[in-house]
Amino acid sequence: MNPTLPNRPPESAGAAAAEDEASARAVLNRLRRAQGQLAGVITMVEEGRDCRDVVTQLAAVSRALDRAGFKIIAGRMRECLTAPEDGGTPAMNEAELEKLFLTLA
């Protein structure tokens, strides 16, 4: 069994790796979008744009970052709640995962 994909049968490891890769790409796309939005906010502030417009765009950046964080947590929730088979870092318990999740709220 692949240690990076805990508790998954060997026959599903390839599919799981492809799913993990797709999830990572989705997170990176969200982060890049947020980065572009933030650059836009910086430009707006430098140009002295209207406060309402700046705050609206800043809220969009914040939502994009929140979504990226939630995507990361959702994609790793199963792994965080299961014990590693390779003796590595202990898995998170439900309370620890909830605390991590709420840091994004």
Side-chain angles (χ1 to χ4, degrees), residues 63-74:
R63 282 190 306 272
L65 291 173
D66 287 346
R67 287 184 181 129
F70 289 132
K71 181 78 172 166
I72 290 168
I73 289 176

Side-chain angles (χ1 to χ4, degrees), residues 51-87:
C51 175
R52 287 177 289 248
D53 294 338
V54 173
V55 171
T56 298
Q57 287 305 310
L58 196 54
V61 172
S62 180
R63 282 190 306 272
L65 291 173
D66 287 346
R67 287 184 181 129
F70 289 132
K71 181 78 172 166
I72 290 168
I73 289 176
R76 299 292 180 232
M77 208 172 271
R78 177 178 32 211
E79 291 176 29
C80 289
L81 287 173
T82 58
E85 294 181 10
D86 63 357

Side-chain angles (χ1 to χ4, degrees), residues 2-19:
N2 185 340
T4 62
L5 304 171
N7 296 327
R8 292 187 180 144
E11 63 274 0
S12 69
E19 183 181 319

Side-chain angles (χ1 to χ4, degrees), residues 15-39:
E19 183 181 319
D20 288 347
E21 187 176 320
S23 180
R25 276 195 310 271
V27 168
L28 286 172
N29 286 340
R30 288 177 190 268
L31 291 172
R32 287 186 182 110
R33 190 174 311 124
Q35 184 179 32
Q37 290 172 319
L38 183 57

Side-chain angles (χ1 to χ4, degrees), residues 10 12 25 34 39 47 63 69 74 76 93 98 102 104:
S12 69
R25 276 195 310 271
E47 293 173 352
R63 282 190 306 272
R76 299 292 180 232
N93 64 35
E98 181 180 353
L102 290 174
L104 294 172

